[in-house]
């Protein structure tokens, strides 16, 4: 089964580029940029990656990305992920990035988008992996900050395929960014949003995303299985869900975990399986995530093929290119 999964052509739709910043690269970039890190070794740094919920994870994740300063840093980060993904037979990836956190440090948007775009082009021509880029609004920062990031990025909109919504969900419902999504959509960008699992008002957030904000995709979204009405809506609209079993695989119901991926598949929802922030999740990239998910969710080979086939079908690329993968 592991060999079958390794060889399966794959597509990835939920990976935060900053979440692929491995400890080894963090040390190398810190050295290149003359920064010191609060850890003596790679092992010590990796041992510090202990979190128990979304806020405690995000603290480690945002601390980690402080070493990213130059266009070359963003190039190295993106090329590193794409090379790793290609080595696992990922043919196509749509990748998130969090510009607000970089703009806060004074990194110009051209360095962020420029470095990632150059890496995408090189990875496509040298190792054959195609990719797209999704700008995420950080929902726990102000609406103004997100609008500033969108405005800064719009001159480079041809380098982006869509916008998303990530970071700490508590008290930050999707409607906080209604204007941002409308503006992005008017600029021709696709729209997705995180509805992380087991969050306060989680079903309400999924409803708002689908009904009021017309999200085309939901990232995570596992709690939907607790609402037959929302499941019916998502099915009728063929909404894809980007499930990340490592982080959001368990939906809590009456104090008991239920297997979100299995329940979503059985409910007839369209799911892809993704790695989210692999550098902070035991360096498990898509193959390792799928191998674990296969065991945890008793995925059959036919279901694995169906997951990847569907993943390619939902790629935000022209139909001819999509057909080439199917
Ligand atoms: N930022 C990076 N990874 C995230 C996740 N899984 N959920 C919300 N925000 C994130
Ligand atoms: Zn995520």
């Amino acid at each position: 089964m592991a060999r079958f999964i390794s060889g399966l052509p794959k597509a990835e739709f939920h990976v935060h580029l900053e979440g692929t910043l491995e400890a080894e690269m963090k040390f190398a970039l810190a050295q290149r940029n003359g920064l010191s890190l609060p850890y003596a070794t790679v092992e010590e740094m990796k041992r510090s990656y202990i979190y128990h919920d979304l806020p405690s994870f995000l603290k480690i994740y945002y601390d980690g990305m402080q070493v990213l300063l130059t266009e070359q840093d963003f190039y190295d980060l993106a090329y590193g992920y794409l090379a790793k993904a290609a080595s696992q037979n990922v043919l196509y990836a749509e990748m998130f990035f969090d510009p607000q956190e970089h703009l806060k440090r004074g990194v110009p948007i051209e360095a962020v988008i420029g470095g990632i775009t150059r890496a995408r082009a090189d990875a496509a021509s040298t190792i054959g992996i195609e990719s797209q880029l999704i700008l995420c609004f950080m929902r726990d920062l102000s609406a103004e900050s997100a609008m500033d990031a969108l405005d800064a990025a719009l001159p480079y909109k041809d380098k982006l395929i869509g916008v998303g919504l990530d970071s700490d969900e508590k008290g930050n419902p999707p409607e906080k960014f209604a204007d941002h999504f409308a503006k992005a959509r008017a600029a021709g960008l696709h729209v997705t949003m995180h509805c992380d699992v087991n969050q306060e008002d989680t079903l309400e957030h999924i409803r708002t995303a689908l009904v009021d904000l017309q999200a085309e995709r939901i990232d995570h979204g596992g709690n939907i299985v607790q609402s037959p009405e929302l499941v019916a809506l998502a099915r009728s609209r063929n909404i894809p869900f980007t499930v990340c079993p490592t982080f959001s695989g368990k939906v809590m119901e009456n104090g008991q975990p239920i297997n979100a991926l299995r329940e979503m598949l059985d409910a007839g929802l369209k799911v892809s399986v993704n790695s989210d922030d692999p550098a902070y999740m035991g360096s498990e990239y898509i193959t390792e995530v799928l191998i674990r998910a296969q065991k945890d969710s008793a995925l059959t080979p036919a279901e694995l093929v169906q997951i990847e086939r569907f993943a390619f079908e939902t790629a935000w690329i022209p139909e001819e290119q999509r057909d080439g993968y199917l």
Side-chain angles (χ1 to χ4, degrees):
M1 186 58 90
R3 199 144 24 96
F4 175 74
I5 290 172
S6 300
L8 196 61
K10 293 179 264 300
E12 177 144 67
F13 294 89
H14 188 150
V15 59
H16 301 261
L17 275 176
E18 297 91 339
T20 70
L21 178 54
E22 289 287 346
E24 289 81 358
M25 186 180 284
K26 224 185 269 181
F27 269 94
L29 296 185
Q31 189 173 31
R32 186 158 88 191
N33 291 327
L35 302 171
S36 61
L37 293 170
Y39 304 100
T41 63
V42 162
E43 289 67 35
E44 197 187 317
M45 179 180 282
K46 286 188 179 176
R47 278 198 299 275
S48 76
Y49 295 168
I50 298 168
Y51 49 87
H52 52 278
D53 58 9
L54 183 55
S56 57
F57 163 74
L58 290 169
K59 163 99 179 69
I60 298 168
Y61 166 81
Y62 290 123
D63 278 355
M65 64 180 79
Q66 305 302 312
V67 297
L68 294 163
L69 292 176
T70 67
E71 194 261 8
Q72 187 65 42
D73 297 343
F74 286 91
Y75 176 94
D76 291 345
L77 175 72
Y79 195 89
Y81 162 70
L82 288 165
K84 176 73 185 179
S87 77
Q88 297 198 339
N89 212 16
V90 174
L91 306 183
Y92 176 77
E94 291 178 8
M95 314 171 296
F96 298 128
F97 74 119
D98 284 325
Q100 281 156 278
E101 189 58 32
H102 309 305
L103 293 172
K104 261 204 290 183
R105 291 197 304 286
V107 181
I109 195 81
E110 309 85 76
V112 181
I113 297 180
I116 297 170
T117 304
R118 191 161 62 84
R120 286 178 46 217
D122 281 358
S125 63
T126 59
I127 43 181
I129 179 170
E130 297 289 339
S131 61
Q132 299 288 353
L133 189 57
I134 300 174
L135 179 156
C136 276
F137 304 125
M138 288 172 57
R139 66 202 306 163
D140 47 353
L141 299 184
S142 70
E144 292 73 29
S145 154
M147 194 57 94
D148 289 348
L150 179 60
D151 287 339
L154 279 180
Y156 306 92
K157 70 177 180 187
D158 61 317
K159 316 289 187 231
L160 306 175
I161 195 73
V163 292
L165 181 64
D166 68 0
S167 211
D168 194 359
E169 193 161 338
K170 190 174 164 58
N172 296 297
E175 63 266 28
K176 177 173 168 185
F177 300 93
D179 292 346
H180 308 62
F181 289 122
K183 191 171 193 174
R185 190 175 274 122
L189 298 173
H190 291 281
V191 171
T192 185
M193 20 197 121
H194 278 55
C195 293
D196 229 308
V197 300
N198 308 322
Q199 302 293 300
E200 204 173 79
D201 302 324
T202 185
L203 289 178
E204 197 47 34
H205 289 183
I206 295 173
R207 197 202 65 78
T208 307
L210 291 179
V211 177
D212 301 335
L213 302 175
Q214 295 288 310
E216 294 160 73
R217 188 187 286 172
I218 298 285
D219 300 310
H220 302 298
N223 288 89
I224 195 168
V225 296
Q226 297 167 320
S227 165
E229 179 208 337
L230 287 174
V231 167
L233 176 66
R235 285 183 54 163
S236 72
R237 298 236 311 261
N238 231 358
I239 297 289
F241 289 78
T242 64
V243 175
C244 306
T246 317
F247 202 59
S248 60
K250 291 193 173 62
V251 164
M252 297 307 287
E253 192 160 88
N254 303 322
Q256 295 298 318
I258 58 175
N259 181 324
L261 178 59
R262 172 45 65 200
E263 299 264 333
M264 292 168 94
L265 281 171
D266 290 350
L269 294 169
K270 307 287 190 182
V271 299
S272 59
V273 173
N274 305 274
S275 67
D276 209 357
D277 299 287
Y280 296 99
M281 297 172 177
S283 294
E284 294 200 346
Y285 287 78
I286 196 162
T287 290
E288 294 84 15
V289 171
L290 275 165
I291 288 172
R292 194 182 288 277
Q294 188 279 321
K295 293 196 183 100
D296 290 349
S297 306
L299 300 175
T300 64
E303 283 176 321
L304 287 161
V305 170
Q306 176 201 321
I307 285 170
E308 292 307 327
R309 174 173 287 278
F310 173 71
F312 283 109
E313 280 171 13
T314 65
W316 285 335
I317 46 179
E319 208 170 318
E320 320 80 70
Q321 195 184 340
R322 217 163 31 216
D323 288 349
Y325 290 121
L326 295 170

